Amino acid sequence: MKKIVVSLLFALLAVPQVFANAYSSDEYDDEEEESVYETPRENAYSAVETPTEFRNSFFWRITDGLNLEYGNVFKDGDKGKEWADFNAYGEALSVQVGANFKRLFAVFFATDFIVGNANYCPNDEECLEGDFYKFDIGVGSLVYPFREVPVLNGVNFGVSVGFECEFLSVQSREYEYETDMAVYHPGAAFKFELGYSWDVFKRVSLGLEFNFTYNLLATLADQYDDCFGEDTYASVDAYSIGILLNVMRR
């Protein structure tokens, strides 16, 4: 009997020790599992937070909107210097293709087309309605200086220069069913722009653009001009402003 009691006491003393060892082993295993998985979880999280989109890539942008142009035409002929004002408005479409560098700036080739209507007013006389169209081919750059500032990362500044041709035709004052080409000048276009874009996908953005273009047009010897009635030399000064929407991949 005494041996049985001693055995039971020994068993009762051993059970807590077994549970203690088991609990300690489980805790150690849990700590070991956490140490195994903790580092990969942190690495995975940090990989998501790293701005991996800041790398070089193919760039394109398409813009479409409204263009307004104002200009003066100066004519030197036998009667001295004469002049005319014109204003034009129409749709502007631009396509740009190039390279994006770390989402900080892009360089591109650009082609612009503008088609619209115009008013041509020689020597303060009655204005003539006409058709206006122009195109230019050039190169440019787009800069995003605040790429890591949450509120300002969509702000962009752009500049481009290109070769252009402008055409403005009006109804002839001498021939009922004919038109007179009042402006048909080549030249250079210097464009400056300010815009803002919103990312809709990882590399595709939608944006709004305002631009100002100075058109430096060449002086040409004109053919017979219905408005002035003589052969003349014409020089043209013009500038334009644009409000456009764009879709961009960078």
Side-chain angles (χ1 to χ4, degrees):
M1 183 68 179
K2 188 180 294 187
K3 292 182 178 180
I4 295 176
V5 172
V6 173
S7 299
L8 289 175
L9 290 175
F10 180 80
L12 291 174
L13 291 173
V15 168
Q17 185 67 28
V18 172
F19 278 100
N21 291 336
Y23 178 78
S24 176
S25 177
D26 291 340
E27 186 177 8
Y28 177 79
D29 291 340
D30 291 339
E31 291 178 357
E32 186 176 9
E33 288 180 3
E34 288 182 0
S35 66
V36 171
Y37 291 102
E38 184 177 2
T39 301
R41 281 201 296 266
E42 290 181 354
N43 290 340
Y45 181 78
S46 63
V48 172
E49 292 296 322
T50 302
T52 57
E53 70 275 13
F54 294 158
R55 61 178 184 268
N56 300 339
S57 62
F58 176 71
F59 171 88
W60 59 258
R61 184 171 67 157
I62 300 174
T63 65
D64 184 70
L66 177 66
N67 183 84
L68 305 174
E69 180 154 336
Y70 303 89
N72 297 290
V73 181
F74 298 95
K75 304 274 188 172
D76 289 319
D78 296 336
K79 298 179 181 179
K81 178 169 286 189
E82 300 177 277
W83 57 271
D85 293 332
F86 72 90
N87 59 79
Y89 56 93
E91 181 181 7
L93 175 66
S94 177
V95 179
Q96 300 148 15
V97 177
N100 161 69
F101 296 93
K102 300 187 183 301
R103 207 178 175 93
L104 180 61
F105 71 98
V107 293
F108 54 80
F109 296 96
T111 302
D112 300 337
F113 300 92
I114 298 173
V115 178
N117 300 314
N119 293 307
Y120 185 71
C121 310
N123 294 333
D124 286 332
E125 298 178 8
E126 181 181 356
C127 295
L128 302 173
E129 295 183 356
D131 298 321
F132 178 81
Y133 47 100
K134 65 182 288 187
F135 72 90
D136 69 68
I137 301 174
V139 295
S141 178
L142 195 65
V143 180
Y144 287 79
F146 311 112
R147 67 176 187 178
E148 295 180 350
V149 181
V151 178
L152 300 176
N153 61 6
V155 176
N156 61 82
F157 303 92
V159 61
S160 61
V161 59
F163 169 79
E164 73 167 353
C165 284
E166 293 199 13
F167 304 91
L168 195 164
S169 62
V170 297
Q171 174 63 44
S172 172
R173 286 182 168 174
E174 295 185 359
Y175 306 100
E176 182 178 0
Y177 299 105
E178 293 187 9
T179 58
D180 181 32
M181 192 64 72
V183 174
Y184 50 104
H185 289 68
F190 300 90
K191 182 190 292 185
F192 306 90
E193 64 180 82
L194 168 65
Y196 193 92
S197 62
W198 298 265
D199 289 338
V200 293
F201 298 106
K202 184 176 181 179
R203 289 199 165 275
V204 178
S205 305
L206 297 178
L208 179 65
E209 171 195 329
F210 300 90
N211 63 48
F212 171 84
T213 304
Y214 177 67
N215 304 282
L216 181 61
L217 301 178
T219 299
L220 298 178
D222 289 341
Q223 300 298 318
Y224 185 80
D225 190 327
D226 291 349
C227 295
F228 294 98
E230 58 188 4
D231 293 335
T232 59
Y233 285 88
S235 61
V236 181
D237 294 325
Y239 65 91
S240 61
I241 57 176
I243 304 174
L244 305 98
L245 297 174
N246 65 65
V247 57
M248 174 178 60
R249 193 272 186 193
R250 55 178 173 163

